[in-house]
Amino acid sequence: MPRKFIKRFMPNHETIKRQKALKIFGNVLYNPNLWCLNRRSAAGAFAVGLFMSFVPLPSQMIMAAGLAIVCGVNLPLSVALVWISNPITMPVLFYFAYKVGAWVMHVPPQPFHFELSWDFILSQMATIGPPFLLGCLICGITFSMLGYFGIKGLWRYSVVRSWQKRRLR
């Protein structure tokens, strides 16, 4: 069952409650529905986590926690899924998002070189910013929907398969 598989990789809820950055949520973290793992909460957590992994801002984990609290989905799973966009995968994900945005806006992709200066960042955001942000939004929505319906379908398949095994026994 997906519950057993997911629980192996989920962090302990006491560890998450002790995080200093999550203190801004106060007593809301003690809501037991945020720690429950069922088909609805897992699918919603995948949607929240995958969407937030395409948000090109720091503190994605805090934003994922806030959205998980608002949506009432599994908090540890949504926060953990944000790490899909880790320092190793982030350039690939964001380059893909930029290419998607450029394709949708019918803008030819710009050549990229990097300089570590504020002027460079501002000038690049003027040229590549709109396709990049649009691509992040499109990829975030698309992958969150794929994650939501994929987990719902996988969970249903797993339950049906366990019923069939039980019936055969």
Side-chain angles (χ1 to χ4, degrees), residues 63-118:
M63 291 187 290
L67 192 57
I69 289 169
V70 169
C71 295
V73 298
N74 189 284
L75 181 74
L77 192 55
S78 61
V79 169
L81 279 166
V82 169
W83 278 96
I84 288 174
S85 66
N86 58 54
I88 295 170
T89 62
M90 194 177 291
V92 175
L93 291 175
F94 286 162
Y95 182 70
F96 177 73
Y98 168 69
K99 293 288 256 185
V100 168
W103 178 72
V104 168
M105 292 180 72
H106 302 291
V107 175
Q110 302 291 321
F112 183 75
H113 67 284
F114 183 73
E115 294 175 21
L116 190 57
S117 71
W118 188 249

Side-chain angles (χ1 to χ4, degrees), residues 21-160:
L22 296 179
K23 296 287 184 196
I24 61 173
F25 297 117
N27 291 334
V28 176
L29 292 178
Y30 295 103
N31 181 358
N33 292 330
L34 296 176
W35 310 102
C36 177
L37 186 61
N38 55 34
R39 181 173 54 185
R40 183 197 157 285
S41 68
F46 265 78
V48 167
L50 290 173
F51 180 78
M52 282 299 161
S53 66
F54 279 96
V55 172
L57 295 173
S59 69
Q60 293 171 324
M61 290 173 58
I62 296 171
M63 291 187 290
L67 192 57
I69 289 169
V70 169
C71 295
V73 298
N74 189 284
L75 181 74
L77 192 55
S78 61
V79 169
L81 279 166
V82 169
W83 278 96
I84 288 174
S85 66
N86 58 54
I88 295 170
T89 62
M90 194 177 291
V92 175
L93 291 175
F94 286 162
Y95 182 70
F96 177 73
Y98 168 69
K99 293 288 256 185
V100 168
W103 178 72
V104 168
M105 292 180 72
H106 302 291
V107 175
Q110 302 291 321
F112 183 75
H113 67 284
F114 183 73
E115 294 175 21
L116 190 57
S117 71
W118 188 249
D119 293 330
F120 170 76
I121 292 173
L122 291 178
S123 68
Q124 286 296 314
M125 285 313 283
T127 58
I128 68 168
F132 172 64
L133 294 175
L134 178 64
C136 285
L137 180 67
I138 290 170
C139 289
I141 291 171
T142 302
F143 284 104
S144 69
M145 288 175 58
L146 286 172
Y148 180 81
F149 291 115
I151 290 299
K152 276 216 176 249
L154 180 66
W155 200 290
R156 171 114 174 101
Y157 171 75
S158 174
V159 168
V160 168

